[in-house]
């Protein structure tokens, strides 16, 4: 089994060019026709891209090579170039020694683990006849096309001062140009491509963006923005240097979105998202954890916005990619109306407690069953889309088996840290009982 929640991921000794070529052949047999290939700036990106291109052409696919671009850029280009899908060589926010093949189909829907299993069945097979081998073409304008589309959606904005932390990732090829073209006063950090990420680790956690926080404060900027390596995830820093975590970014996006309709999110997302959506009159549809499930749900039934707790927001008016640049551009527009700290007052505050309980595979199943039985017996408002999530007034708790480790995770959110801790303790007792 190679496909995980988001493509095929590994260190270079695991995801090597030989495996990348076999996966690309299988993807080519599955998607067929014209396929976009793009990569981030990781050290192993060049050799893996050559293998992917070769694999696709060997099964008769025509490759459109976008070079080094962000993931949202590559996904936006699928429809624009009439491609049957894309393979993006990126390990997203992971450390530099990792890489991955992220696969997206012709409808812009990321390939889930389940669909990945179908693709893996096509790994063994023949190459095409010598005169049916595919071609390869470079397309140089993807970033420009993406910038133009974002500017068109967002429209005119007031000039504000922004600090952009590109984290030495692909944000460097799009973000400074985008915000300068939007007329913003731009200051940049870590804005040269470097596959070793010398500026900061790629995941834009609060601890990793300390330089951004201090730069926003010292430069009197209106906001700071940071992305992960492939630019689908984004976090903000307000004018006082306060870090704005992923699910708050999503809650703000719901407030700022001009489109009406349902919003889609995963069962791990803060209740703040449901609170702001309900206030706006939008229904919340929950999915399992993982971006492909959000895409599938939004493709199945239209929604106004999709988003996950780590700061990936899908704006379906553009495409079904999590787009950290469109999200940031919408922030830039909102700053014209009021300060980010003022906007944040509209997002309810919650406290959360995360806990994990050691469990074997069998125990994991039993613990989740116990949580479900408890919810049913007590007629609690719950869903079992991914683990068991129980919603109460102003609080919720989720009991969920870890997919990769020997743990059951118990995560609670409430209006006070004490209440969240109490919920975690209560459910630990229930599942261990
Ligand atoms: Mg990412």
């Amino acid at each position: 089994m190679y496909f995980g929640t988001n493509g095929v991921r590994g260190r270079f000794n695991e995801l090597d060019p030989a495996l990348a070529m076999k996966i690309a052949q299988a993807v080519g047999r599955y998607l067929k026709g014209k396929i976009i290939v793009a990569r981030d700036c990781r050290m192993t990106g060049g050799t893996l891209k050559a293998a992917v291109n070769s694999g696709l052409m060997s099964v008769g696919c025509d490759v459109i090579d976008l070079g080094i671009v962000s993931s949202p850029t590559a996904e936006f280009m699928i429809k624009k170039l009439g491609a049957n899908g894309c393979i993006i060589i990126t390990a997203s926010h992971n450390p530099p020694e990792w890489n991955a093949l992220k696969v997206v189909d012709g409808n812009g829907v990321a390939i889930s683990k389940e669909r990945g299993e179908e693709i893996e069945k096509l790994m063994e097979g023949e190459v095409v006849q010598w005169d049916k081998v595919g071609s390869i073409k470079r397309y140089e304008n993807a970033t420009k096309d993406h910038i133009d589309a974002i500017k068109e959606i967002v429209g005119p904005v007031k000039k504000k001062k922004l600090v952009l932390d590109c984290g030495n990732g692909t944000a460097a090829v799009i973000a400074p140009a985008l915000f300068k073209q939007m007329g913003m006063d731009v200051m940049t950090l870590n804005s040269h491509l470097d596959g070793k990420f010398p500026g900061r680790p790629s995941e834009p956690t609060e601890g990793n963006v300390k330089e951004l926080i201090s730069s926003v404060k010292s430069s009197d900027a209106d906001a700071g923005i940071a992305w992960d390596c492939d630019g689908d995830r984004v976090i903000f820093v307000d004018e006082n240097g306060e870090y704005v975590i992923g699910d708050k970014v999503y809650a703000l996006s719901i407030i700022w979105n001009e489109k009406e309709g349902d919003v889609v999110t995963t069962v791990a997302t803060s209740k703040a998202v449901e609170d702001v959506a309900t206030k706006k009159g939008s229904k919340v549809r929950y999915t399992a954890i993982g971006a492909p499930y959000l895409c599938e749900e939004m493709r199945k039934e239209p929604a106004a916005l999709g988003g996950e707790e780590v700061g990936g927001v899908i704006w379906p008016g553009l495409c079904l990619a999590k787009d950290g640049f469109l999200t940031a551009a919408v922030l830039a527009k909102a700053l014209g109306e009021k300060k980010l700290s003022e906007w944040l007052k509209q997002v309810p505050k919650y406290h959360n407690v995360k806990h994990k309980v050691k469990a074997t595979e069998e125990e994991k199943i039993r613990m989740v069953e116990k949580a479900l039985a408890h919810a049913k017996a007590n007629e609690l408002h719950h869903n079992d889309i991914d683990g068991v999530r129980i919603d109460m007034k102003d609080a919720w708790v989720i009991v969920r088996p870890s997919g990769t480790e020997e743990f059951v995770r118990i995560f609670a959110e409430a209006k006070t840290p004490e209440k969240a801790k109490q919920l975690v303790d209560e459910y630990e007792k229930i599942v261990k009982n």
Side-chain angles (χ1 to χ4, degrees):
M1 183 71 210
Y2 297 108
F3 273 83
T5 318
N6 225 332
V8 179
R9 206 180 66 119
R11 291 187 178 85
F12 192 52
N13 61 343
E14 296 151 349
L15 178 57
D16 61 10
L19 177 61
M21 181 150 89
K22 274 200 148 335
I23 299 278
Q25 285 176 326
V27 171
R29 290 178 188 118
Y30 182 80
L31 295 176
K32 299 185 175 73
K34 192 155 79 175
I35 311 289
I36 286 171
V37 174
R39 59 167 283 218
D40 70 18
C41 56
R42 284 163 199 272
M43 306 294 286
T44 55
T47 173
L48 291 176
K49 189 179 85 171
V52 165
N53 287 345
S54 181
L56 287 170
M57 287 188 284
S58 72
V59 297
C61 290
D62 293 320
V63 173
I64 308 173
D65 182 349
L66 303 185
I68 296 179
V69 297
S70 78
S71 293
T73 302
E75 291 177 61
F76 163 70
M77 292 308 294
I78 295 173
K79 199 169 160 198
K80 182 129 181 122
L81 294 175
N84 289 355
C86 76
I87 299 181
I88 309 167
I89 300 143
T90 176
S92 188
H93 58 281
N94 290 133
E97 64 272 25
W98 289 83
N99 218 329
L101 307 184
K102 179 181 180 181
V103 184
V104 180
D105 74 13
N107 294 319
V109 177
I111 298 292
S112 63
K113 198 172 167 181
E114 292 74 17
R115 287 172 82 199
E117 269 176 49
E118 294 301 305
I119 294 177
E120 281 177 35
K121 289 181 190 152
L122 307 173
M123 277 174 77
E124 300 306 326
E126 301 284 316
V127 292
V128 292
Q129 262 183 197
W130 66 272
D131 57 349
K132 299 283 188 300
V133 165
S135 63
I136 185 163
K137 260 199 313 225
R138 257 309 281 257
Y139 185 80
E140 306 281 354
N141 279 332
T143 296
K144 184 188 172 297
D145 293 345
H146 189 201
I147 288 177
D148 290 345
I150 292 174
K151 285 193 302 185
E152 197 182 317
I153 286 183
V154 175
V157 296
K158 285 191 191 146
K159 184 173 186 168
K160 292 286 161 188
K161 187 169 184 179
L162 301 176
V163 186
L164 313 178
D165 181 352
C166 301
N168 304 112
T170 55
V173 303
I174 175 167
L178 168 65
F179 289 99
K180 277 178 199 160
Q181 288 184 34
M182 284 172 70
M184 294 282 137
D185 181 0
V186 172
M187 210 179 116
T188 58
L189 298 174
N190 309 313
S191 63
H192 67 280
L193 291 173
D194 190 327
K196 292 180 178 167
F197 310 143
R200 62 161 166 90
S202 189
E203 191 170 10
T205 60
E206 184 168 4
N208 289 344
V209 298
K210 290 276 180 247
E211 191 191 359
L212 174 65
I213 291 170
S214 58
S215 299
V216 168
K217 287 200 261 190
S218 65
S219 65
D220 237 352
D222 295 292
I225 307 171
W227 295 267
D228 70 339
C229 175
D230 69 326
D232 57 353
R233 274 165 66 164
V234 63
I235 61 87
F236 305 147
V237 173
D238 81 5
E239 75 281 4
N240 305 314
E242 283 298 312
Y243 177 82
V244 183
I245 202 165
D247 36 25
K248 282 197 178 163
V249 168
Y250 184 36
L252 288 168
S253 301
I254 293 169
I255 294 169
W256 295 331
N257 189 17
E258 287 162 6
K259 297 248 159 54
E260 309 261 313
D262 293 357
V263 302
V264 176
T265 195
T266 78
V267 290
T269 302
S270 170
K271 206 173 178 74
V273 163
E274 193 173 316
D275 291 352
V276 298
T278 308
K279 202 168 168 200
K280 217 182 161 182
S282 299
K283 191 179 114 192
V284 180
R285 304 200 319 253
Y286 284 102
T287 72
I289 297 163
Y293 304 116
L294 289 177
C295 293
E296 284 174 4
E297 177 63 30
M298 294 177 79
R299 170 84 190 153
K300 213 163 64 192
E301 207 183 315
L305 208 64
E308 53 176 8
E309 68 286 358
V310 288
V313 183
I314 299 170
W315 303 81
L318 189 64
C319 66
L320 291 179
K322 292 179 291 173
D323 193 328
F325 306 106
L326 177 51
T327 308
V330 174
L331 158 76
K333 185 174 191 177
L335 291 175
E337 220 174 299
K338 54 185 163 190
K339 290 181 170 168
L340 183 50
S341 65
E342 290 293 321
W343 281 114
L344 282 163
K345 287 180 185 161
Q346 294 184 33
V347 180
K349 278 201 182 73
Y350 284 94
H351 297 268
N352 61 57
V353 173
K354 289 177 183 177
H355 182 62
K356 39 189 190 179
V357 180
K358 196 106 185 103
T360 62
E361 286 304 316
E362 276 173 19
E363 284 167 340
K364 281 185 194 176
I365 297 167
R366 221 171 42 234
M367 285 180 178
V368 174
E369 277 171 0
K370 277 184 184 166
L372 184 60
H374 173 83
K376 282 181 177 166
N378 293 284
E379 293 181 8
L380 303 173
H381 184 66
H382 70 279
N383 74 57
D384 57 353
I385 295 164
D386 194 346
V388 181
R389 170 171 167 146
I390 295 137
D391 276 277
M392 291 143 264
K393 190 181 176 328
D394 290 337
W396 61 278
V397 58
I398 189 168
V399 176
R400 194 174 164 261
S402 163
T404 49
E405 294 171 288
E406 294 208 316
F407 289 114
V408 161
R409 298 179 193 283
I410 305 177
F411 177 95
E413 199 184 58
K415 285 285 181 190
T416 64
E418 295 75 27
K419 171 75 184 163
K421 172 80 171 61
Q422 187 197 322
L423 272 172
V424 164
D425 292 346
E426 183 188 334
Y427 275 84
E428 181 172 11
K429 268 194 207 122
I430 291 165
V431 300
K432 280 184 172 171
N433 191 355

